[in-house]
Amino acid sequence: MIGTESGVAFGQLRSRFDTTLRPGFSLPRLGALMSRALTETLLDLSELTVLTEAATGAYAVTAVLAAMAGARHVYAFTKTTRHGTSAEAMDQTLKLADSVGVANRIDILEQITPDIIHQTDIVTNSGHLRPLTAALIDELPKEAVIALMFEAWEFRSEDLDMDACLRRGIPIVGVNERHPSVDVFSFLGPLCVKQLHDSGLSAYKNRIALLCDNDFIGSLRSGLVSSGASVDVFEDVQTLYHDQWDAIIVALRPAAKPRIGAPETAHLVACAPPGAIVVQFWGDIDRTVLSENGLGVWPTTPPGSGHMGILLSELGPEPVVRLQAGGLRAAEWVRRSGAMSSDGLAQIVTWHPDQSPTRARPSPR
């Protein structure tokens, strides 16, 4: 096929578990997507130093975006994970950086030393860096900021030491994913539909119960409905009623205990016919209890606690590029302005995980 041949010719970025070449991940396309995201977000990291990750697949773009945005220096930490080895992350990040002419602005690290932290203006809450410990936060310059890389209300206390941030006055900066220059929420509906299709169930003409108690609700419902599903939304498991559900999609904000445990499973069993599938989009579930009660669960491999059951990169690199550029831009805004004002791109985490969350304060772009 022409697309596959083009992908081979230009080179691609892919996770270690990909068995096919996907032309949507070609280096020229990634370069174009990154350039577009820089233009739309107005990201400018000149005179700033960024500490982030070197990763595989679509997530290799983070360090490269920072370098393309003119960062004084980009330090990209990597380690071996289930998504790829440190050697693969280094190779893919530098291959992408070389394709856009910024490889000389990125240093790949397998160890983060205090002298690097002392230079850092923005550190990203990226997978290879997590958790951001008090020891690291205490070494940051007082003007530094942490880029959460998703919305403030999605903050997970296990990602970083918030007490250390509060003590040092280091802002934790979320990004408004619904801002026009980012618009990642628009990908959530198609992402949920893909997850259904991966489970072996078409959205079209099927009866879907959507359990959702958070801001994902509008995007998920519209995406499912536009694909031809019949959808009813429930903000609490106990409000679900008996019907001929083909799938029950769980998109519940994670909590200290699984959102679907033994009591919730008993209610689902009473409400769902044999063969119904429980799809874990977001929110932790007790898979053992679900399986023991005869409910099918997707995906088969459980995501990490508090993490989504499907990655944005399953739709290709574009939503990841947009999110990473937006996350960096939000952090840049706060780092340069040091203040928040009316509605906009940047958000600040203003609550402690041991307290009830409050709405984040937004900033202008």
Side-chain angles (χ1 to χ4, degrees):
M1 295 175 62
I2 293 175
T4 302
E5 291 171 353
S6 296
V8 173
F10 288 122
Q12 294 186 325
L13 300 186
R14 52 200 180 107
S15 79
R16 67 188 305 194
F17 298 111
D18 283 341
T19 57
T20 58
L21 293 172
R22 302 169 67 185
F25 283 81
S26 71
L27 297 180
R29 173 163 172 75
L30 282 166
L33 289 174
M34 291 189 296
S35 294
R36 185 188 309 163
L38 293 177
T39 299
E40 292 182 357
T41 60
L42 304 179
L43 179 61
D44 176 10
L45 296 173
S46 57
E47 303 305 316
L48 299 178
T49 294
V50 176
L51 173 59
T52 187
E53 69 174 357
T56 56
Y59 292 89
V61 304
T62 313
V64 181
L65 279 164
M68 291 175 69
R72 178 172 49 207
H73 209 95
V74 179
Y75 293 105
F77 175 74
T78 189
K79 61 184 177 183
T80 295
T81 69
R82 65 186 180 89
H83 298 293
T85 66
S86 57
E88 288 168 333
M90 178 185 299
D91 176 68
Q92 292 191 28
T93 300
L94 292 179
K95 182 181 295 182
L96 177 59
D98 185 63
S99 73
V100 292
V102 296
N104 64 324
R105 308 184 77 163
I106 300 174
D107 277 351
I108 308 294
L109 311 172
E110 291 188 88
Q111 181 179 1
I112 303 172
T113 57
D115 65 301
I116 289 172
I117 302 173
H118 295 164
Q119 304 172 42
T120 298
D121 296 287
I122 296 172
V123 56
T124 65
N125 174 42
S126 300
H128 288 166
L129 291 171
R130 293 196 293 259
L132 298 177
T133 64
L136 183 148
I137 293 166
D138 284 343
E139 295 289 342
L140 287 170
K142 65 180 186 301
E143 302 87 2
V145 301
I146 293 174
L148 194 58
M149 307 304 276
F150 43 78
E151 294 212 349
W153 64 272
E154 300 175 81
F155 174 79
R156 300 181 297 246
S157 59
E158 63 268 25
D159 282 2
L160 59 94
D161 192 317
M162 187 171 186
D163 286 331
C165 291
L166 293 172
R167 173 167 42 79
R168 292 286 324 282
I170 303 290
I172 304 170
V173 185
V175 56
N176 178 4
E177 297 179 37
R178 287 159 279 193
H179 191 281
S181 68
V182 182
D183 196 24
V184 171
F185 266 39
S186 294
F187 291 90
L188 295 178
L191 187 65
C192 188
V193 170
K194 184 183 190 311
Q195 195 178 28
L196 273 179
H197 291 176
D198 289 346
S199 76
L201 178 69
S202 171
Y204 184 66
K205 293 293 186 182
N206 276 308
R207 188 88 174 98
I208 309 296
L210 174 60
L211 302 179
C212 188
D213 63 354
N214 54 73
D215 291 357
F216 290 169
I217 190 167
S219 300
L220 293 179
R221 185 182 187 282
S222 63
L224 290 163
V225 170
S226 66
S227 293
S230 173
V231 181
D232 281 4
V233 179
F234 305 89
E235 294 191 16
D236 182 83
V237 177
Q238 299 301 326
T239 63
L240 178 71
Y241 50 76
H242 183 272
D243 205 330
Q244 293 303 305
W245 307 112
D246 296 288
I248 299 168
I249 296 173
V250 177
L252 299 170
R253 187 182 299 196
K257 299 188 299 184
R259 296 303 306 273
I260 307 295
E264 294 80 13
T265 296
H267 187 74
L268 295 185
V269 169
C271 293
I277 303 169
V278 176
V279 178
Q280 184 181 6
F281 186 81
W282 192 47
D284 303 323
I285 63 178
D286 189 327
R287 290 166 168 264
T288 300
V289 172
L290 286 165
S291 297
E292 288 174 348
N293 282 272
L295 292 171
V297 181
W298 187 262
T300 55
T301 302
S305 176
H307 290 251
M308 292 174 65
I310 182 171
L311 295 175
L312 279 170
S313 55
E314 288 299 307
L315 293 179
E318 184 169 0
V320 176
V321 171
R322 298 180 71 90
L323 180 59
Q324 303 306 87
L328 288 169
R329 175 62 174 115
E332 179 220 333
W333 172 270
V334 176
R335 170 60 181 81
R336 293 194 191 280
S337 70
M340 310 300 293
S341 64
S342 60
D343 190 27
L345 180 66
Q347 303 172 337
I348 290 284
V349 176
T350 58
W351 55 277
H352 192 281
D354 294 332
Q355 302 170 342
S356 298
T358 57
R359 293 299 299 177
R361 291 175 293 157
S363 80
R365 191 174 75 169

